[in-house]
Structure formats: structure tokens, C-alpha cells
Amino acid sequence: MTEEAFIDPVSMEDDPDELFPGDHGVLDAEVRRVLVHVLQRRFVQADRHRETWKVLLDNQQVIEARLNDLFVRLIIDHDRGVAYKQQVRSDEFEVPILLRDSAYNRAETLVLVHLRTVYQRETAAGEPSARVDIEDVEQTVLSYFAESDGDTARRQRAIRRAMDRLDRDGIVDEESAGRFRISPLVEIVLSAEKLRELRDWLRRRESLPELEDADTEVDAETEIDADTETEVEEPEPETPELEGAAL
């Protein structure tokens, strides 16, 4: 009489825990998708990515651990409802760099200065959200450009391309044609300190003749810089670099 095995053998291809042949992963499919989402995108936003945000918070510890294995840090800002990643760097040991820096160009930086100023002014006034029209953005930001930046039409095209990129990044959200809501992400991308540096640089170039001063006194404990690096050396301001923006 042949003795039967306690458990019938199952081939690896038929293993119910595998998502694909040869899969040695331990995360559920849903959690893996969120991990990929975090790696692919600059930001995960609670209002734009509701399901992803919920899974991220429910599995924060394990997702953080997987990112840390890649020398990447996960930052979750609950107040602003945003999560983003940073490349870990160290002087103590060699760290392979997975994430590349993604810098905003000149026009994008100048648009960010205006958006950040409007956002700060509106929130200081107690407004629940800040909005701008593309015409207002153009009118103000055009005054920031130097004569060497080309004619008005060329500058307007640069401004609209900048708004398109900032819309893709989630820093603004076009609610209707030419009408944008400014996201709290603008505070992360361009901190109050960097805003002051750029505004001072523009003033030295006499590029801000009519720009109202927003209240730039921000609680240091709530100010997040997202590991940005902004240089303001003449003749042109270097753009803010958001480290770990994408693979």
C-alpha cells in the first residue's frame, strides 16, 4: 500500500501566491502598485489619488521599508495631504543614486515665485484655497523677465508651457479653462526661505516694481523644503531642484 502525501504537490507556476511565474515578492498586488506609483510620480496627493493614498497609509511601514532598501526616504505630510520621496545621501558611506534631480527651468521658477506669493497671501487672509487666472499669471510674470528673454509672445509661450508642467506635477489644477487652483504643493517645492531669496534677487534686478510683499513669516516647524536646492547667482537664477522627483 502506497502511503499518500499529506499535501498534494503544487507546481510553482500554479502557486496561488505568485502574481507571475518566478515571483518571489511578498507584497500584495495592491501594495505593489502603490509602491510603483510612489516611485513613478513626484507626489501622491490625498485629494487626487484617494485609493492610492489610503493604501499608502495603511501599508506605510512596509512601503517605507522597501524604499529604504533602495536608499530612498518616504516623506508623508499629513497636513498638506501629500507624500513624496527623497534620495538618501550620506558622507559616511557610499550611496548609489537611484533618483535623478529634476530642475525647474527659468520660466517655471518665475511662475512658481508668483504662485507661491499668491498662495501665501490668500492663506494668510484665511481663504480656504488660492486661485489664479492665466491672464493674471502672464501679466505678473512677464514683468520678471529680462530684455534678453525675447519678445512678449515668446515669453507668453514660455509661461503657458510652465503652467502646463506645473499642472502635470499637481502644483496647480486647472478647474476650468484658464482658471487654476494652487495646490499646497507649492509650499513644498518652493519654501518661504527660497521664495525670499528669489524675490530679493528679482528686486536687485528691479524686476518687481509692483509686487506686493506677502507675509513670509512661516513657522519653521511646518516649513518643508523637500530637499530643494536653489541658487540665485547672477546673471540668471538657478531653478529649484526637487531631488528624487522621478526615476
Side-chain angles (χ1 to χ4, degrees):
M1 180 176 180
T2 305
E3 189 172 330
E4 296 182 359
F6 288 107
I7 301 175
D8 293 332
V10 178
S11 65
M12 291 185 65
E13 290 77 10
D14 297 327
D15 190 337
D17 293 330
E18 283 192 341
L19 297 181
F20 51 86
D23 177 23
H24 296 289
V26 297
L27 301 181
D28 293 339
E30 188 178 38
V31 181
R32 295 190 200 192
R33 282 192 286 268
V34 171
L35 176 60
V36 173
H37 187 108
V38 171
L39 284 169
Q40 286 180 329
R41 295 176 178 267
R42 294 174 181 274
F43 305 103
V44 176
Q45 296 175 256
D47 58 348
R48 280 193 170 190
H49 316 110
R50 296 183 185 278
E51 290 302 319
T52 298
W53 182 261
K54 182 180 184 304
V55 174
L56 177 62
L57 296 187
D58 290 345
N59 299 272
Q60 178 178 343
Q61 199 167 24
V62 67
I63 291 174
E64 280 182 325
R66 294 297 177 271
L67 291 172
N68 292 165
D69 285 340
L70 302 175
F71 297 102
V72 174
R73 183 182 294 111
L74 176 67
I75 309 296
I76 298 181
D77 186 332
H78 293 276
D79 292 335
R80 294 184 176 95
V82 60
Y84 55 95
K85 58 192 178 297
Q86 291 179 343
Q87 176 69 58
V88 173
R89 300 180 187 276
S90 175
D91 295 329
E92 305 298 324
F93 57 92
E94 182 180 355
V95 176
I97 303 302
L98 176 66
L99 306 178
R100 65 172 183 264
D101 296 343
S102 180
Y104 288 106
N105 64 29
R106 178 181 176 80
E108 291 159 354
T109 300
L110 296 177
V111 170
L112 278 169
V113 169
H114 177 59
L115 296 177
R116 181 69 165 86
T117 301
V118 172
Y119 182 87
Q120 198 160 295
R121 183 181 65 230
E122 295 299 304
T123 53
E127 294 294 332
S129 58
R131 290 175 171 80
V132 292
D133 294 314
I134 187 63
E135 292 81 9
D136 171 61
V137 176
E138 287 182 348
Q139 182 179 358
T140 303
V141 177
L142 281 172
S143 67
Y144 298 172
F145 284 93
E147 292 296 326
S148 59
D149 290 321
D151 58 22
T152 299
R154 180 178 177 182
R155 300 176 194 179
Q156 286 177 318
R157 289 194 297 271
I159 291 170
R160 289 183 180 258
R161 285 195 299 269
M163 288 295 287
D164 286 343
R165 178 183 177 183
L166 298 179
D167 191 1
R168 292 194 302 271
D169 289 352
I171 295 168
V172 295
D173 180 23
E174 189 170 15
E175 298 179 321
S176 58
R179 180 70 170 173
F180 296 85
R181 180 179 65 85
I182 306 173
S183 165
L185 289 176
V186 74
E187 290 187 308
I188 295 175
V189 172
L190 191 59
S191 71
E193 180 183 357
K194 300 303 180 184
L195 175 64
R196 283 192 293 268
E197 290 179 9
L198 283 168
R199 286 166 59 87
D200 288 345
W201 185 89
L202 288 168
R203 284 196 184 93
R204 289 198 298 271
R205 296 175 58 237
E206 298 182 352
S207 296
L208 297 179
E210 299 178 359
L211 182 60
E212 297 179 4
D213 281 327
D215 180 9
T216 55
E217 294 301 322
V218 179
D219 185 351
E221 294 184 359
T222 62
E223 185 58 50
I224 299 177
D225 200 359
D227 205 16
T228 59
E229 297 178 0
T230 306
E231 300 294 338
V232 292
E233 298 177 358
E234 297 194 39
E236 292 188 358
E238 294 293 330
T239 56
E241 294 183 0
L242 179 61
E243 294 191 3
L247 284 174

